[in-house]
Amino acid sequence: SYVLTQPPSVSGAPGQTVRITCGGNNIGGQPVHWYQKKPGQAPVLVVYDVFARPSGIPERFSGSSSGNTATLTISRVEDGDEADYFCQVWESSRNHQGVFGGGTKLSVL
Amino acid sequence: QVQLVQSGGGVVQPGRSLRLSCAASGFTFSGYAMHWVRQAPGKGLEWVAFISYDGGDKDYADSVKGRFTISRDNSKNKIYLQMNSLRLEDTAVYFCAKGLRYSDSFYFDHWGQGTLVSVSS
């Protein structure tokens, strides 16, 4: 089955830009979606279809993808951005299944 | 506004069964696919199951195939997850999620509050 690989953790000081990567075979050729997950809360969709943002999500959150890597970029990081972030694709080649990356813990220093 | 309110869950012994429910409001329920996603303690998100808008299509993660059944009642705006032959490794917070389709891909734009299923002897 399709595997998505994320770094376990990233960190940045308030105001800095952080990038969270998601590696997968030819991930640049398919829609990638990103979720923010805080402890005890439901996940929140922050980017869909590689770079689109749902209403209410700040422009500080942006996405890109090329080749074997998708990236979530958070500009001007704030304390409230501290959370786990998960990338997700939909596998439809063999059977229809959702696939999540292992998640990346963002720590705001 | 879209709301997904979950019920069910709790503590259950290995091998027993449990049913989760998810009540939807704020959107045309019968027009959207729905999913279940779980998160085991200290672990990442794991997609569990999918049901199409009319219930005609279903799919499951390999880890639950043959044990879990997803269903929906469009007259009640609800989806269900029947979990049989529960295992210790099924212990997790379970979320229902509304699915949106883009090309050949689904993503999840609204989520329930989550409900804990704890499988323990």
Side-chain angles (χ1 to χ4, degrees):
Chain A
S1 62
Y2 195 76
V3 176
L4 295 174
T5 302
Q6 298 183 236
S9 63
V10 298
S11 62
Q16 288 188 332
T17 294
V18 297
R19 293 175 179 83
I20 299 172
T21 59
C22 175
N25 185 34
N26 194 32
I27 195 173
Q30 60 183 301
V32 183
H33 321 292
W34 292 90
Y35 303 87
Q36 177 191 71
K37 175 73 171 64
K38 296 181 179 179
Q41 298 184 20
V44 173
L45 178 70
V46 293
V47 167
Y48 64 97
D49 302 339
V50 181
F51 50 73
R53 271 186 317 276
S55 61
I57 300 300
E59 289 182 8
R60 301 184 298 103
F61 289 82
S62 61
S64 61
S65 185
S66 178
N68 294 324
T69 304
T71 303
L72 175 69
T73 300
I74 308 173
S75 306
R76 302 181 300 283
V77 163
E78 301 176 356
D79 287 346
D81 298 333
E82 187 161 288
D84 293 322
Y85 290 85
F86 295 88
C87 57
Q88 177 250 318
V89 299
W90 186 259
E91 184 181 27
S92 54
S93 52
R94 183 170 64 94
N95 50 17
H96 293 195
Q97 295 197 348
V99 179
F100 285 96
T104 299
K105 168 70 176 178
L106 168 61
S107 297
V108 181
L109 305 173
Chain B
Q1 74 282 18
V2 174
Q3 278 199 306
L4 298 172
V5 179
Q6 299 180 223
S7 58
V11 181
V12 63
Q13 292 179 324
R16 304 297 292 263
S17 299
L18 207 57
R19 189 176 86 152
L20 306 182
S21 300
C22 172
S25 62
F27 65 103
T28 306
F29 178 74
S30 59
Y32 291 90
M34 297 293 293
H35 303 255
W36 289 97
V37 176
R38 69 184 180 182
Q39 185 176 34
K43 303 293 185 181
L45 298 175
E46 180 188 16
W47 174 84
V48 173
F50 145 82
I51 187 166
S52 62
Y53 67 99
D54 62 355
D57 244 342
K58 304 175 186 181
D59 246 312
Y60 301 91
D62 292 342
S63 57
V64 306
K65 200 171 290 185
R67 300 187 298 121
F68 289 13
T69 301
I70 189 172
S71 61
R72 66 189 296 158
D73 185 339
N74 283 349
S75 68
K76 296 182 178 177
N77 285 7
K78 284 188 170 183
I79 65 164
Y80 307 95
L81 187 66
Q82 178 66 42
M83 304 182 292
N84 297 334
S85 303
L86 281 161
R87 304 169 179 168
L88 297 176
E89 56 266 33
D90 294 319
T91 294
V93 175
Y94 286 72
F95 297 94
C96 61
K98 173 175 167 280
L100 283 182
R101 187 158 195 157
Y102 176 81
S103 183
D104 246 351
S105 177
F106 272 112
Y107 60 97
F108 318 115
D109 67 331
H110 288 88
W111 297 68
Q113 82 275 18
T115 187
L116 177 63
V117 172
S118 181
V119 184
S120 171
S121 53

